[in-house]
Amino acid sequence: MTDPLLDKRSLKNLETLLPQVRPLALALVKAAAEKGISIQIISGTRTYAEQDALYAQGRNGNPGQIVTRARGGYSNHNFGLAFDCGLFEGKKYIEESPSYKIVGQLGKALGLSWGGDWKFADEPHFEYNPERYTTAQLRQRTADGLPLL
């Protein structure tokens, strides 16, 4: 898949998502571009080990700041249902911007859940879980070889 709005990293991350989630992520990138907002997909599916490494960040003497409250197996990122978007000006990543709220509303209009609505707000985060499976249910469905969507 190629798209002129997406860089190589975004394309790679997009391909890690479940096939039903990919068109929603791409539609979000396009909807943002139509509003003059440049976003890229900076994270897609993560292994449990990758999630655990992110969880460890900023805890127990590990460097960095805390960026997640979810350990491996407890994030929709682990199941191909979630992705993170970053705002960019050219190649420069914009960590904080009012534009995240605009992108959040665009994502919600597409049927995505937006992390900016959470108590522990995560404005770059979007997920598609229409059945509202818990992570315990997602782990079990995965173990049983059942579809997640």
Side-chain angles (χ1 to χ4, degrees):
M1 166 189 257
T2 61
D3 190 287
L5 293 174
L6 296 174
D7 62 11
K8 286 182 183 180
R9 177 183 180 188
S10 292
L11 288 169
K12 182 180 174 188
N13 287 324
L14 185 69
E15 291 173 3
T16 69
L17 301 172
L18 290 181
Q20 302 93 320
V21 181
R22 289 179 203 150
L24 296 169
L26 184 56
L28 181 58
V29 171
K30 290 180 178 183
E34 288 172 5
K35 298 282 185 187
I37 301 169
S38 175
I39 62 172
Q40 295 295 319
I41 301 167
I42 60 175
S43 181
T45 302
R46 298 181 191 132
T47 65
Y48 286 16
E50 290 168 332
Q51 189 69 36
D52 283 337
L54 276 179
Y55 180 83
Q57 191 173 302
R59 292 182 171 91
N60 300 321
N62 290 313
Q65 60 187 26
I66 293 174
V67 294
T68 185
R69 293 187 173 190
R71 295 176 189 263
Y74 292 84
S75 168
N76 280 331
H77 279 284
N78 300 136
F79 304 99
L81 300 172
F83 60 95
D84 294 334
C85 291
L87 273 73
F88 286 81
E89 288 179 5
K91 294 188 183 272
K92 183 179 185 234
Y93 173 65
I94 308 300
E95 192 169 331
E96 293 184 30
S97 169
S99 293
Y100 277 105
K101 292 191 184 337
I102 296 168
V103 175
Q105 297 309 308
L106 294 170
K108 288 165 57 172
L110 291 168
L112 296 166
S113 296
W114 178 47
D117 288 334
W118 298 345
K119 183 177 180 180
F120 176 68
D122 185 358
E123 290 185 329
H125 181 91
F126 292 89
E127 56 189 46
Y128 185 65
N129 185 355
E131 300 299 327
R132 305 254 187 257
Y133 291 129
T134 64
T135 53
Q137 290 170 315
L138 291 168
R139 289 190 306 276
Q140 188 62 56
R141 291 183 72 78
T142 299
D144 293 343
L146 297 172
L148 303 181
L149 292 174

